[in-house]
Amino acid sequence: MIRSLARCLIIVASAFASLAWAQAWPVKPIRLVVNLPPGTSADLMARTVAPQLAIALGQPVVVENRPGAAGNIGVEMVAKSAPDGYTLLHSSGTSLTINPHLYKLNIDVAKDLEPIAPTMRTSIILVVRQDSPARNVAELIALARANPGKLNFGSAGAGSGMHIATELMLRQAKIQATHVPYKGSADAVVALLGGHLDFTFDPGVAVPHIKAGKLRLLAVARPTRSKFFPDTPTMAEAGSDVDVDSVFGFYARAGTPREIVTRLNREIVRIMQTAEVGATLNAIGAEVVTGSPEEFAARQRRDSERFGVIVREANIRAE
């Protein structure tokens, strides 16, 4: 009985110590890791949120870009950090829902990272050159069917959201096209403009060229129409059920005290409603997404399962 009472007292004391420590947090600067290069959507949003988060927490929030290995370097860095709330990650959803199915990682994303809060959603759009004979999705599919394997499509690399979206369309329409991977979506758009590609799914780089009349927008790969392109049909409306939007968000090392995760979620949700964030979202063609850590984690699980099936069935492999 005495030993049991002692164990209970230790547990209670530890709980109170943990709560007191969490309430004192933060007492030093916070490192915010972005697993993609400067200038990307993930980076721009992180740098928009960081100053306001610093004010709310009373400590500097320092953005640190750690790109490389398709975003895996930054993800692994945070997943191996101390679970103390002083190292956070802002990442695109695809780095965490697609990459584990493509690469041999040194971590288990589902077990080693704690979802904190979503920030935004970017939609992938299907584009062709303005001189393309395809004026809609049906005509593009008909063109590919008439020229099996002869049409080229680009992506930001094997297993990227652009690649996944195209494989979905090809499989559903039972057509073939040749995959040409690039180092990034910007390179794929340049290749499309230069006549080296026939079509591509794009996360937003193509928007200025669409507005300039150089590229033609055929559809958006999401369940509902985009507020940025209200007159453009979804892929489902066009007869091809392709939904590959990417939800970005904040993460911490698994095991981070719940009080810290809850506070971060509350502050990030508030910041995402501010005018500064709204201006950044409009500039990059993204939409705000908010929710609890549990809702964010559930979304990540669903996407990981869905994309994992596509990777396996299409036999997609990392270069």
Side-chain angles (χ1 to χ4, degrees):
M1 183 181 296
I2 293 175
R3 284 197 294 269
S4 297
L5 179 60
R7 282 197 297 269
C8 290
L9 290 173
I10 290 173
I11 292 172
V12 171
S14 298
F16 274 109
S18 176
L19 178 60
W21 181 83
Q23 288 176 334
W25 176 92
V27 295
K28 63 180 182 179
I30 295 170
R31 179 169 62 169
L32 175 53
V33 175
V34 178
N35 63 331
L36 296 172
T40 58
S41 297
D43 176 69
L44 292 172
M45 183 51 60
R47 293 181 185 278
T48 302
V49 172
Q52 297 191 60
L53 189 59
I55 293 173
L57 300 179
Q59 290 289 341
V61 177
V62 183
V63 178
E64 181 179 330
N65 294 90
R66 285 301 181 99
N72 294 329
I73 290 177
V75 171
E76 291 192 5
M77 173 185 294
V78 177
K80 293 179 179 179
S81 67
D84 54 11
Y86 287 104
T87 303
L88 306 177
L89 170 71
H90 187 251
S91 170
S92 67
T94 53
S95 294
L96 303 173
T97 57
I98 296 178
N99 285 6
H101 303 290
L102 288 172
Y103 300 91
K104 185 177 180 180
L105 305 180
N106 297 315
I107 60 167
D108 184 332
V109 168
K111 294 180 179 178
D112 296 333
L113 285 175
E114 181 85 23
I116 297 174
T119 54
M120 63 180 183
R121 174 173 53 229
T122 58
S123 299
I124 292 180
I125 56 179
L126 177 59
V127 292
V128 297
R129 288 191 310 280
Q130 193 61 249
D131 61 358
S132 171
R135 305 192 66 83
N136 52 52
V137 176
E139 291 182 359
L140 178 62
I141 290 175
L143 185 65
R145 187 166 287 129
N147 300 275
K150 294 182 179 180
L151 268 60
N152 295 329
F153 71 91
S155 80
S160 63
M162 301 164 70
H163 187 195
I164 293 289
T166 311
E167 288 292 347
L168 270 172
M169 183 181 75
L170 297 180
R171 291 172 66 81
Q172 290 178 9
K174 295 181 173 57
I175 55 176
Q176 296 178 338
T178 300
H179 179 213
V180 184
Y182 292 89
K183 292 183 178 180
S185 54
D187 291 341
V189 170
V190 170
L192 179 63
L193 289 166
H196 304 292
L197 300 175
D198 297 288
F199 68 95
T200 189
F201 278 93
D202 172 72
V205 177
V207 172
H209 304 292
I210 294 170
K211 293 180 178 179
K214 296 180 180 179
L215 296 178
R216 180 183 301 141
L217 174 59
L218 300 186
V220 293
R222 50 173 293 161
T224 59
R225 292 198 177 196
S226 168
K227 72 174 185 178
F228 297 102
F229 309 107
D231 298 326
T232 301
T234 65
M235 287 295 294
E237 289 177 312
S240 182
D241 189 15
V242 178
D243 172 14
V244 192
D245 58 354
S246 180
V247 174
F248 293 64
F250 281 85
Y251 300 81
R253 174 72 166 89
T256 298
R258 176 52 48 178
E259 295 81 6
I260 292 177
V261 172
T262 300
R263 184 179 178 189
L264 282 167
N265 175 270
R266 182 174 65 248
E267 298 295 353
I268 292 168
V269 168
R270 178 187 59 79
I271 291 169
M272 290 305 298
Q273 310 298 327
T274 62
E276 293 85 349
V277 168
T280 299
L281 288 168
N282 287 330
I284 60 179
E287 299 177 38
V288 65
V289 178
T290 58
S292 67
E294 294 74 21
E295 291 168 336
F296 189 27
R299 164 70 191 243
Q300 183 172 308
R301 285 194 298 272
R302 290 195 302 271
D303 284 350
S304 180
E305 291 171 1
R306 183 163 59 97
F307 294 144
V309 170
I310 300 168
V311 169
R312 290 190 297 272
E313 290 184 350
N315 195 30
I316 298 173
R317 301 184 183 278
E319 294 105 344

